[in-house]
Amino acid sequence: MSTGWLIGSAVIAVIVAPLIGGLLRGIDRKLTAHMQGRIGPPIVQPFYDVIKLFGKKPMVAGGAQLAFAYAYLALIITAVVFFALRQDLLVVLFILFFGSLCLPIGALSVKSPYSQLGGHRELLQFLAYEPILLLAAIPIAMKAGDFPEGIKFRIADIFTHGQPLLPDLWITFIALLIALAIVMRKSPFDISGSEHAHQELVRGVVTEYSGPYLALIELGHWYEMVLLLSIMGLFWVTGSLWWLSIIIALGSWFIMLVVDNINARLTWSWMLKFAWGAGLSLVALNILFINLGWM
Amino acid sequence: MGILSTSRMKSPWLLHFDCGSCNGCDIEILAALTPLYDIERFGIVNMGNPKHADVLLVTGPANHRNYRVLRNLYEQMPDPKGVIVVGTCGCTGGVFHNCPNVLGGIDKVIPVDVYVPGCAARPEAIIDGVVLALGKLKAYGK
């Protein structure tokens, strides 16, 4: 694939990702409302919310907080660009992790007890999903490089690899679904600041962000969600059935919706046990099977 | 109408504060969230955080115990913002009028934009009050 085409796709990704993310959030709210027997807001509601937030008067609790809000958005956009350029999967994940870390650091830079508690819980969520994503890169790279011939972490190699990944890596895929639920802040993992308004922590990690800065974080969250769903889509990007990647990404998004609506929020210790116990062992099992040549 | 004022009209986030009401009006406010009235279809969300809210919904009379809290919440809300008083007690003091511990209506403490009378106010009247308050948000900056 030519360099010009790749740079073009990166520019398109940066423009289109928030549109897709916002639309998905809108459909999410609509579907959730229907599942609860309500009519729900219009599908473009998240865009109204974000534009309104940009028009609010800025109120700041501390300067460092703002730096981290901008850093959160900038780093996640960088991760999206690297993904669109089909660079190293590990680089994409590390930039994403650093961006995600800016959110709790920003929350912890303010003295508000709700913000502090939300920040600590966000760190716990990070502790739960980060090892799954990082470990999941290994079986993907093993398959992309036709292990034992080699291990290839570049996303471009997944595209040029002849076989789709899902038939061999479905165990890893299930583990990634757990990580996706935590990143999307869906029940039962929405402990640091639910996407829904009301909870015991006020708004947890984003309590002290208001107006335009909250809008920045919301935008970053849309990018983050689209990036994660794109990583899910990587599981079937080759062959004549390449469009299955879109179905897989949207399907995993829909699973998150259903899980969100049939679950209550659980404690952080349960989340950590579940994410590490089930998520990490599933990926480890997949790596073992590849090593044994069973998958 | 610009896209910003359209968005302000379409996405009013509420903060609900009980200033010592009998909970009658509060139950009616929460009823507006149920599938029967479903205020989220207008983009209205009940927020727990003054820093994210556009509209402050107050029930009950202002009293010496909590008027500082009320003023603090009002000041934490970024502009543009509106204040709606729900129920007779909040409008004038109601049955608590002239009680030694009660200051009177909410407008003794913070500026009020919309008064929704009733004991208790109906969910329809509350939604109507929010729509009235949107007029203020729409006119902001003009």
Side-chain angles (χ1 to χ4, degrees):
Chain A
M1 198 156 290
S2 73
T3 320
W5 201 91
L6 278 178
I7 291 171
S9 67
V11 172
I12 291 169
V14 170
I15 298 166
V16 171
L19 297 178
I20 297 175
L23 216 54
L24 283 179
R25 281 287 293 128
I27 301 170
D28 174 346
R29 281 175 73 174
K30 192 84 183 168
L31 285 177
T32 300
H34 276 285
M35 285 180 201
Q36 296 168 354
R38 296 185 288 117
I39 296 169
I43 287 168
V44 289
Q45 185 61 41
F47 297 105
Y48 288 136
D49 291 346
V50 162
I51 294 168
K52 176 204 74 177
L53 286 172
F54 272 120
K56 297 273 282 182
K57 196 175 162 192
M59 277 176 111
V60 188
Q65 204 195 357
L66 300 192
F68 285 113
Y70 282 111
Y72 172 69
L73 182 60
L75 283 165
I76 284 173
I77 291 177
T78 314
V80 171
V81 168
F82 272 72
F83 185 89
L85 292 175
R86 303 189 180 179
Q87 292 300 306
D88 201 312
L89 185 60
L90 284 180
V91 173
V92 172
L93 287 178
F94 284 134
I95 298 173
L96 177 69
F97 294 156
F98 189 39
S100 311
L101 261 184
C102 288
L103 201 55
I105 298 173
L108 291 172
S109 72
V110 189
K111 279 181 181 168
S112 149
Y114 293 117
S115 186
Q116 290 275 327
L117 202 51
H120 284 124
R121 287 196 185 179
E122 180 73 25
L123 284 174
L124 283 166
Q125 286 196 184
F126 189 71
L127 198 62
Y129 76 76
E130 190 253 22
I132 302 179
L133 282 179
L134 202 54
L135 203 61
I138 295 170
I140 294 173
M142 285 166 104
K143 272 290 147 192
D146 286 322
F147 189 79
E149 279 169 34
I151 295 179
K152 289 177 177 170
F153 278 103
R154 277 172 62 88
I155 294 168
D157 292 322
I158 300 171
F159 279 88
T160 49
H161 179 64
Q163 298 294 319
L165 299 175
L166 192 61
D168 292 329
L169 295 180
W170 56 271
I171 304 179
T172 305
F173 187 81
I174 295 170
L176 277 180
L177 282 177
I178 299 171
L180 184 66
I182 304 176
V183 176
M184 282 173 70
R185 301 207 186 89
K186 292 293 190 192
S187 291
F189 305 114
D190 52 350
I191 60 160
S192 81
S194 161
E195 281 186 326
H196 312 295
H198 248 67
Q199 69 163 357
E200 81 281 9
L201 277 185
V202 183
R203 271 303 259 121
V205 72
V206 292
T207 301
E208 289 298 317
Y209 286 103
S210 64
Y213 310 110
L214 184 64
L216 288 180
I217 287 173
E218 189 63 26
L219 268 181
H221 189 51
W222 293 353
Y223 274 111
E224 197 178 5
M225 188 173 75
V226 171
L227 180 59
L228 258 289
L229 289 176
S230 312
I231 292 174
M232 305 302 274
L234 278 183
F235 279 78
W236 207 305
V237 281
T238 49
S240 56
L241 296 174
W242 61 269
W243 47 268
L244 271 177
S245 65
I246 299 167
I247 306 276
I248 287 170
L250 290 179
S252 34
W253 169 81
F254 186 71
I255 292 171
M256 291 307 111
L257 236 75
V258 176
V259 168
D260 185 36
N261 273 292
I262 58 176
N263 275 290
R265 180 178 306 126
L266 289 164
T267 58
W268 66 265
S269 52
W270 184 88
M271 174 187 70
L272 216 53
K273 277 176 207 155
F274 183 72
W276 283 4
L280 285 183
S281 48
L282 281 174
V283 183
L285 212 61
N286 209 161
I287 296 174
L288 181 71
F289 287 168
I290 296 172
N291 269 298
L292 294 173
W294 294 354
M295 275 183 149
Chain B
M1 197 158 61
I3 183 143
L4 185 59
S5 35
T6 312
S7 302
R8 276 179 186 145
M9 299 279 287
K10 293 272 189 184
S11 144
W13 290 355
L14 302 182
L15 174 70
H16 168 209
F17 183 59
D18 180 352
C19 229
S21 137
C22 69
N23 279 350
C25 294
D26 306 285
I27 288 169
E28 300 300 324
I29 289 171
L30 295 177
L33 289 167
T34 58
L36 182 62
Y37 299 100
D38 186 27
I39 51 167
E40 206 197 349
R41 69 201 147 111
F42 306 122
I44 304 175
V45 179
N46 192 5
M47 279 282 155
N49 186 354
K51 299 199 172 190
H52 295 179
D54 306 293
V55 173
L56 177 60
L57 218 60
V58 194
T59 56
N63 58 49
H64 289 286
R65 211 39 164 164
N66 61 16
Y67 76 93
R68 286 187 200 85
V69 179
L70 177 62
R71 190 176 292 157
N72 191 1
L73 284 175
Y74 177 76
E75 282 164 2
Q76 280 190 47
M77 287 167 60
D79 283 323
K81 59 187 169 188
V83 178
I84 303 171
V85 170
V86 175
T88 309
C89 300
C91 293
T92 60
V95 291
F96 303 108
H97 189 69
N98 277 351
C99 281
N101 59 330
V102 167
L103 286 167
I106 297 299
D107 50 11
K108 295 272 196 309
V109 184
I110 53 172
V112 174
D113 299 301
V114 179
Y115 298 88
V116 179
C119 184
R122 301 275 308 156
E124 291 93 337
I126 297 167
I127 295 172
D128 200 32
V130 174
V131 173
L132 272 176
L134 292 180
K136 189 200 173 187
L137 299 184
K138 186 186 164 190
Y140 182 80
K142 283 180 185 162

